[in-house]
Amino acid sequence: MKITRLTTYRLPPRWMFLKIETDEGITGWGEPVIEGRARSVEAAVHELSEYLVGQDPARINDLWQVMYRGGFYRGGPILMSAIAGIDQALWDIKGKALGVPVYQLLGGLVRDSIKAYSWVGGDRPAEVIDGIQKLRAIGFDTFKLNGCEEMGIIDNSRKVDAAVNTVAQIREAFGSEIEFGLDFHGRVSAPMAKVLIKELEPYRPLFIEEPVLAEQAEYYPRLAAQTHLPIAAGERMFSRFEFKRVLEAGGLAILQPDLSHAGGITECYKIAAMAESYDVALAPHCPLGPIALAACLHVDFVSRNAVFQEQSMGIHYNQGAELLDYVINKDDFKMDDGHFYPSNKPGLGVEINEELVIERSKNAPDWRNPLWRFPDGSVAEW
Ligand SMILES: O=C(O)[C@H](O)[C@@H](O)[C@@H](O)[C@H](O)CO
Ligand SMILES: [Mg+2]
């Protein structure tokens, strides 16, 4: 079999799908995208396609190594997201050619289902009680929200109180009937993270995500030393070589690699195994579309240390399209009682409505995240 063509479709709300065609009529789909930099990733995919066309899609490991090592420079969000989406599509092709789901090619199921969690509250945590109530009604009991709004390098008690009040309201309303992760979203400096975590600890969030930016990873073990709360990070790390360092340094209880940013299934399957060897949990990051989610689920279903899965149904970013809009058979993502169940369909197990994809790609938005500034005009982390 030979790769004949790579076609990219930038799509509402902020996604990009990749279709890889072969000379035997089998096609694979992937989702190479960095939110807000879709065009850069699209250019990277087409640069890589110069090598890929004519190659045997079955040789995923060799193609991955060529894409990663063959261009001298490596890593980072753009290239690793391009490789991720291509890798997902290659696994889709392999599964379809052999007639089995990707998880079967990775050794088969280690579990019968994986718990899902949902975002509530938007960019600035608001209406979280109402959001949780609505999602509980459809079976979710695990949630994530932004832990705070903009937070100055050294900020005041009112900002800390606002963050604490939000979680106090959640515990007041639901007690321990539900769990929630707090995403600091990289908004918080190391000094303020120490203050916030101490004040939030009594409300027992399930985890604190990105308490500091990935470039401040040396603080993970220091923050972990001051709290019993599990610390999670990974959405802004892009290869096992980055995850190697944070695992070695300690401090992270949960790794959150993104299957569309960190090199795809081939790379994230290895990251999952590395995490397991350090007794660290896996919870793939996925605020994206259905192909990215499917790739996450296949890794979840073969990784014993997978604990819960992010998915974007109802997420505040999905303006203009929802998670399953481009999926022909919504049952491809069987959910029950807040859990996903494995599909028996070959490959990634997602049938994409190509006609709709082509149609919607004609008006693809150039989504950008908001640029936040402090009252003094300096740039704030979003
Ligand atoms: O945990 C999450 O889902 C992420 O922090 C998410 O909010 C960001 O990755 C966002 O998609 C960036 O544009
Ligand atoms: Mg996050």
Side-chain angles (χ1 to χ4, degrees):
M1 191 186 298
K2 296 236 180 297
I3 293 169
T4 53
R5 189 197 331 236
L6 283 79
T7 310
T8 48
Y9 300 99
R10 282 177 287 105
L11 290 168
R14 55 177 193 159
W15 305 335
M16 180 159 71
F17 290 178
L18 163 65
K19 177 184 171 186
I20 297 186
E21 295 173 85
T22 66
D23 61 356
E24 295 186 13
I26 295 177
T27 59
W29 288 86
E31 192 171 335
V33 71
I34 270 283
E35 305 94 295
R37 292 285 177 261
R39 287 180 187 271
S40 305
V41 177
E42 185 170 47
V45 167
H46 291 294
E47 275 185 347
L48 291 169
S49 71
E50 291 163 16
Y51 176 78
L52 295 168
V53 172
Q55 298 297 321
D56 175 0
R59 297 189 57 161
I60 299 175
N61 282 317
D62 180 56
L63 295 175
W64 197 98
Q65 293 289 343
V66 168
M67 290 191 287
Y68 182 77
R69 299 179 187 278
F72 188 77
Y73 296 100
R74 65 217 40 210
I78 305 299
L79 181 57
M80 295 309 284
S81 297
I83 293 175
I86 292 166
D87 181 81
Q88 292 166 8
L90 294 175
W91 278 103
D92 196 24
I93 290 168
K94 185 181 274 287
K96 287 171 178 173
L98 298 171
V100 292
V102 168
Y103 62 76
Q104 292 293 14
L105 299 172
L106 298 174
L109 296 175
V110 79
R111 60 172 42 84
D112 302 321
S113 68
I114 182 79
K115 176 183 276 283
Y117 70 83
S118 261
W119 265 92
V120 289
D123 265 347
R124 294 182 173 90
E127 291 102 50
V128 292
I129 304 300
D130 182 46
I132 290 172
Q133 281 166 340
K134 288 196 174 94
L135 286 161
R136 281 192 84 192
I138 57 172
F140 286 96
D141 69 3
T142 306
F143 307 92
K144 183 160 80 176
L145 58 145
N146 279 304
C148 59
E149 300 186 357
E150 299 88 326
M151 187 64 71
I153 297 173
I154 299 294
D155 217 319
N156 59 45
S157 293
R158 287 187 308 283
K159 282 288 192 64
V160 176
D161 290 346
V164 172
N165 290 341
T166 300
V167 298
Q169 287 169 26
I170 295 173
R171 281 296 181 220
E172 172 72 25
F174 304 104
S176 54
E177 293 298 304
I178 59 108
E179 294 305 335
F180 58 91
L182 289 179
D183 193 345
F184 283 13
H185 220 247
R187 296 172 178 174
V188 182
S189 68
M192 282 310 297
K194 291 175 69 172
V195 172
L196 266 178
I197 289 172
K198 176 176 173 293
E199 298 300 324
L200 291 165
E201 195 158 48
Y203 299 95
R204 291 204 317 275
L206 189 59
F207 57 87
I208 300 284
E209 181 172 324
E210 284 201 314
V212 291
L213 286 159
E215 55 253 46
Q216 303 290 357
E218 61 272 20
Y219 282 95
Y220 293 148
R222 301 176 200 171
L223 292 169
Q226 81 161 59
T227 181
H228 305 292
L229 299 179
I231 293 180
E235 68 184 77
R236 286 187 270 197
M237 298 176 197
F238 305 104
S239 75
R240 76 201 107 123
F241 305 105
E242 290 186 62
F243 284 98
K244 171 181 82 168
R245 292 190 182 84
V246 293
L247 286 169
E248 196 55 30
L252 289 187
I254 305 168
L255 287 197
Q256 300 170 305
D258 185 300
L259 269 283
S260 280
H261 300 352
I265 292 169
T266 301
E267 188 72 347
C268 290
Y269 177 63
K270 294 172 183 174
I271 292 166
M274 287 165 65
E276 185 183 11
S277 65
Y278 284 84
D279 206 16
V280 168
L282 174 77
H285 172 258
C286 191
L288 294 171
I291 306 169
L293 176 58
C296 292
L297 292 173
H298 284 277
V299 174
D300 292 334
F301 287 132
V302 301
S303 303
R304 181 191 173 275
N305 54 329
V307 288
F308 28 73
Q309 179 58 51
E310 181 177 22
Q311 52 74 43
S312 76
M313 267 180 266
I315 202 169
H316 43 300
Y317 307 125
N318 284 359
Q319 305 300 320
E322 247 309 346
L323 176 61
L324 301 182
D325 283 4
Y326 302 107
V327 171
I328 292 174
N329 180 0
K330 313 302 181 198
D331 289 342
D332 291 348
F333 292 88
K334 279 197 294 268
M335 273 200 90
D336 182 30
D337 193 26
H339 287 70
F340 285 112
Y341 290 81
S343 157
N344 293 318
K345 286 188 177 174
L348 293 177
V350 184
E351 290 174 76
I352 294 296
N353 181 338
E354 187 169 2
E355 199 179 315
L356 179 62
V357 164
I358 292 169
E359 184 53 37
R360 298 297 305 276
S361 68
K362 289 173 185 157
N363 298 303
D366 278 319
W367 183 89
R368 297 282 181 270
N369 62 263
L371 175 60
W372 282 3
R373 289 187 180 274
F374 291 118
D376 70 2
S378 58
V379 173
E381 294 286 354
W382 165 62

